Amino acid sequence: MEENMNETLAMLRGAADRTSALVKGVSDDELGLPTPCSEYDVKGLINHMEWAISLFESVGSGGGFLPPKDYTGDFPERAERMLAVWERPETWEGVSEAMGGLPKTVLARMALTDLVAHGWDLARATGRHYEVEEETAAALRAFSAQMAPTGRARGAFGDEVAVPDDASSLDRFLGLIGRDPAWKP
């Protein structure tokens, strides 16, 4: 488990750093732009990201399910707090009752999925580039292939979007979770 923990933690750190840098770069005049998540503009997307990162901090530390809150603009700080929780080996043990008894290792992969998917959404919406390491994209693709039916049933993933067989692992991951890698505002 320690190897899986270390690998996933490194991926989480990379995704959190990359996504935090994107959030920091968003200007006030970009907050109303549309995103690949049709229910969110950029401000709504960042608000959702703030909630999700705080949720993964809470459930990682054995806390409860958090209700969404209003946008505060402190995503990078929340990401650091979430990472601090997941850096503790005991965080990876057991299950989260608040998340229906899901193993904590699954929650870590869910946090990674959220960070990368919404980081990509934000980059796409604001005309910035977003790339992840091949290892991260491949791990997300494999995880999402397993989680897709449940994710779709719970509304976390959209219908699969067909991508070419020779598409990158990132694009194939995005297609699995219902994102169109060719989306443009």
Side-chain angles (χ1 to χ4, degrees):
M1 177 169 98
E2 187 171 326
E3 182 177 322
N4 183 33
M5 179 192 97
N6 290 334
E7 288 175 12
T8 303
L9 186 57
M11 291 180 215
L12 271 171
R13 167 62 66 189
D17 290 349
R18 190 169 16 277
T19 302
S20 290
L22 279 170
V23 170
K24 288 178 190 176
V26 172
S27 63
D28 287 345
D29 64 333
E30 292 176 307
L31 293 175
L33 294 174
T35 72
C37 294
S38 59
E39 64 270 26
Y40 299 127
D41 60 10
V42 167
K43 183 177 180 180
L45 176 64
I46 296 172
N47 183 59
H48 172 77
M49 292 164 57
E50 289 174 354
W51 166 75
I53 206 86
S54 292
L55 173 64
F56 288 114
E57 174 190 356
S58 177
V59 297
S61 62
F65 191 87
L66 302 176
K69 295 185 178 183
D70 291 336
Y71 173 82
T72 60
D74 66 346
F75 177 85
E77 294 82 3
R78 290 175 189 236
E80 285 303 316
R81 290 192 304 264
M82 186 271 302
L83 287 168
V85 166
W86 287 94
E87 286 171 348
R88 299 189 311 246
E90 64 271 15
T91 299
W92 297 77
E93 297 171 3
V95 300
S96 169
E97 295 305 325
M99 296 291 281
L102 284 175
K104 297 273 194 86
T105 54
V106 171
L107 294 181
R109 292 288 178 143
M110 288 171 62
L112 180 62
T113 300
D114 200 78
L115 278 167
V116 171
H118 291 316
W120 179 86
D121 290 336
L122 184 60
R124 222 17 110 127
T126 59
R128 291 169 175 84
H129 182 71
Y130 193 83
E131 196 61 51
V132 298
E133 296 80 10
E134 177 60 28
E135 178 185 3
T136 299
L140 285 171
R141 186 174 156 222
F143 176 74
S144 296
Q146 292 175 336
M147 295 298 290
T150 301
R152 284 188 189 91
R154 295 188 177 171
F157 294 169
D159 292 334
E160 185 171 354
V161 174
V163 297
D165 290 340
D166 63 349
S168 71
S169 290
L170 178 60
D171 285 356
R172 294 178 82 179
F173 155 69
L174 292 167
L176 273 170
I177 64 169
R179 299 290 197 283
D180 180 356
W183 185 92
K184 294 188 185 321

